[in-house]
Amino acid sequence: MLIDLNDKPEQLILEADVCIAGAGAAGITIAIELAKANINVILLEGGGKTYTDESQDLYKGGSNSLFYPKLDSSRLRYLGGTTNHWEGSCRTLSKIDFEKRDWVPNSGWPITKSELDPFYKRAHNYCELGVYDYSIEYWEKHSHLKRTITAESSFETHVNQSSPPTRFGQKYLPYLTNSKNVTLVLNANVTNINESKPIGKISGFTIKNHQNKEYTATADNYIIAMGGLENSRILLLSREASENGLGNENDMLGRYYMDHPGVKMAAVVPTKNWAKSVVMGENLKNQPPRGVAWTLELSEKTLREKKLCNARIAMAERNKLFLSKGVESVHQLKKAYGENIDIDSYFEHIENIIYDWDLVAESIGRKEFNTYYSERAKEFGGYLANAMTEQHPDYNNRITLSDKKDKLGLNKIKLHWKVTNQDKENIKKVVDELAHELSRLRLARVRSLVAEDETDRIFEELLSYGYHHMGGTRMSDDPKNGVVDSQLKIHNRKNIYVAGSSVFPTGGHVTPTLTIVALAIRLADHLIKEKGKS
């Protein structure tokens, strides 16, 4: 059944076995799994079937960073959520990502990779993926993929699979509306989680349409699946029984927020021994319909020995202008002067500018006068090695509430996020390892852009983002270290769960969608078993 609260129904009774707030990848997956088990579900979506400014505006918020993307630009607030602009890259987290690593403070999941594997396999169906196999051996045999490095090395070639991508709202709307066990409610904005003292049991969700008309949804069990940022927000806003927010008795709610920083870390000039097609991945032009792609990654053995966080490296061809030392030196000197930063390599920067005077002139001409004249600027300069990196979970990277309110009267998000010194040091070590290995194997010369950066440009204006909102309601067996337990139930509560990437204790380096769906299936199985016991 489908209900749209913007139609302003006067009398509406919303009661079910399970009520889910949020109809993105997690919420839709859980609803379908429960419905197939003959469990009645209310699925609340804050937006409609398609994008509207009215709904999207509720995602606006603030950040302490000048460079972090606007909070309403990296996610979408309508049926299907952020899968509506997902590019479709899928991969499981690695075994080591789940482990407690002594060199990564606050790491460790309360579940293992092997425990999640059966759910990853089932998640493939939801994401419209092929065979559940991420081995390079399989894909070398069944695609045009070839290993980047074949010799024994600290780096390995790994495989990502591509979803079409699946737009969960479009794909699963027919099932949701036709199922006798699902009530899909659109334009239903959850504004409060109702809890009375003493804490322990949730009695309902307060919801509003976009005209501020209020309704209530009640169930035996409740699930928050509103997204990596909104999960923390709605819990922080729900203060009837807990003055600091529901589930925040240990000041862990909103903490350890993570993203996947994309770092332009090195320029790679391959030797003639390293085929261009391998570096560029041109072998993927004739890929299978669903697609596979490769990345360079440090081996698990190397991660342990070197005590590094995970990262994956992709390379893209760039011209001499893009990789010019002289042009970068202009940027370094300009920023150093403008921000009064002391730099050690002043004369080296001047030498770079003199050597690349024609490329510097070309850069200025393009920017100021839109003129193009240098043929050398167009010549092949090498490959840009871009790393998608795992962040160290940091207590001070967090989601809080600002004093500003949205049109529903709810406090907006204030995000506190930065790349920590640990993250920066990790990237420098990854670059050093890449340079050493490619030189040792006589595959390429590597110029570390991170080492040349004296003004933090790489970790500020040049940084890119995965737009992967992780952490904030992290999973932990100990309530003092997290918000939810290994079954995703909020600590010290009987009947409320959290689904989505906000429960990740660490984020690895891969896109989180497949893991979100796998955890959603696992949570649905848990609720089905609990229902069978009652």
Side-chain angles (χ1 to χ4, degrees), residues 61-71 413-417:
S63 169
N64 69 327
S65 171
L66 295 174
F67 307 102
Y68 198 80
K70 291 182 179 179
L71 302 189
I413 288 173
K414 177 66 179 292
L415 183 66
H416 305 263
W417 181 89

Side-chain angles (χ1 to χ4, degrees), residues 280-520:
M280 281 297 295
E282 290 182 353
N283 49 302
L284 301 183
K285 288 182 178 178
N286 297 315
Q287 60 191 344
R290 286 188 173 88
V292 289
W294 58 258
T295 53
L296 271 183
E297 299 173 21
L298 287 161
S299 68
E300 183 178 309
K301 178 182 177 184
T302 304
L303 291 173
R304 295 186 190 282
E305 290 178 350
K306 304 285 184 178
K307 297 189 180 300
L308 295 172
C309 266
N310 235 327
R312 72 178 187 269
I313 301 166
M315 299 190 194
E317 184 175 349
R318 293 291 182 262
N319 59 35
K320 286 186 176 179
L321 178 63
F322 189 96
L323 296 176
S324 164
K325 281 188 175 183
V327 172
E328 179 56 29
S329 287
V330 170
H331 288 297
Q332 291 287 325
L333 293 176
K334 181 180 178 181
K335 185 174 182 183
Y337 177 78
E339 299 181 14
N340 197 28
I341 299 171
D342 290 329
I343 57 176
D344 298 325
S345 305
Y346 177 82
F347 291 106
E348 186 176 325
H349 286 304
I350 298 298
E351 288 178 4
N352 291 339
I353 293 169
I354 293 171
Y355 181 80
D356 277 354
W357 68 268
D358 58 330
L359 298 179
V360 172
E362 177 78 7
S363 177
I364 294 171
R366 290 187 181 189
K367 183 176 181 180
E368 300 296 332
F369 309 108
N370 198 31
T371 59
Y372 297 77
Y373 69 90
S374 172
E375 289 300 316
R376 187 164 89 96
K378 303 175 186 177
E379 294 175 4
F380 172 69
Y383 298 92
L384 175 68
N386 193 73
M388 185 69 80
T389 66
E390 176 185 18
Q391 273 199 287
H392 290 78
D394 186 87
Y395 182 78
N396 294 311
N397 280 346
R398 63 184 299 206
I399 300 159
T400 62
L401 300 178
S402 74
D403 294 331
K404 297 179 180 179
K405 295 188 177 183
D406 63 24
K407 68 176 184 179
L408 297 178
L410 305 179
N411 299 77
K412 296 182 178 182
I413 288 173
K414 177 66 179 292
L415 183 66
H416 305 263
W417 181 89
K418 67 178 182 178
V419 179
T420 66
N421 289 333
Q422 280 182 305
D423 297 327
K424 295 175 185 178
E425 286 302 312
N426 187 75
I427 282 294
K428 290 176 183 177
K429 291 176 181 177
V430 171
V431 177
D432 289 345
E433 190 66 24
L434 181 69
H436 174 268
E437 280 299 279
L438 296 187
S439 174
R440 181 183 69 83
L441 297 171
R442 298 184 180 181
L443 293 175
R445 300 193 319 274
V446 176
R447 173 183 139 219
S448 174
L449 302 180
V450 179
E452 294 175 3
D453 182 22
E454 296 183 89
T455 63
D456 236 17
R457 258 173 48 84
I458 280 178
F459 294 105
E460 292 180 354
E461 58 259 44
L462 295 183
L463 200 65
S464 60
Y465 304 87
Y467 304 109
H468 304 148
H469 310 138
M470 302 171 290
T473 66
R474 71 197 318 253
M475 191 194 314
S476 173
D477 284 331
D478 186 348
K480 294 181 180 178
N481 296 324
V483 176
V484 301
D485 63 20
S486 61
Q487 298 298 339
L488 307 187
K489 183 164 64 70
I490 295 179
H491 286 296
N492 303 315
R493 303 306 191 280
K494 295 178 181 179
N495 62 335
I496 183 165
Y497 300 79
V498 180
S501 53
S502 67
V503 306
F504 292 14
T506 54
H509 62 76
V510 300
T511 52
T513 307
L514 189 66
T515 303
I516 290 171
V517 176
L519 287 171

Side-chain angles (χ1 to χ4, degrees), residues 130-190:
V131 61
Y132 182 58
D133 195 324
Y134 288 86
S135 68
I136 186 66
E137 292 80 11
Y138 177 89
W139 288 105
E140 279 188 315
K141 183 177 179 180
H142 293 89
S143 75
H144 295 270
L145 185 72
K146 298 192 184 303
R147 291 173 213 237
T148 308
I149 294 177
T150 56
E152 185 175 341
S153 171
S154 57
F155 282 88
E156 300 173 342
T157 306
H158 285 260
V159 173
N160 293 342
Q161 294 193 45
S162 294
S163 170
T166 305
R167 306 302 184 208
F168 273 60
Q170 298 173 24
K171 173 71 177 177
Y172 298 111
L173 177 60
Y175 181 90
L176 296 172
T177 54
N178 293 326
S179 172
K180 64 181 178 63
N181 295 114
V182 178
T183 300
L184 173 62
V185 189
L186 301 178
N187 295 302
N189 304 286
V190 177

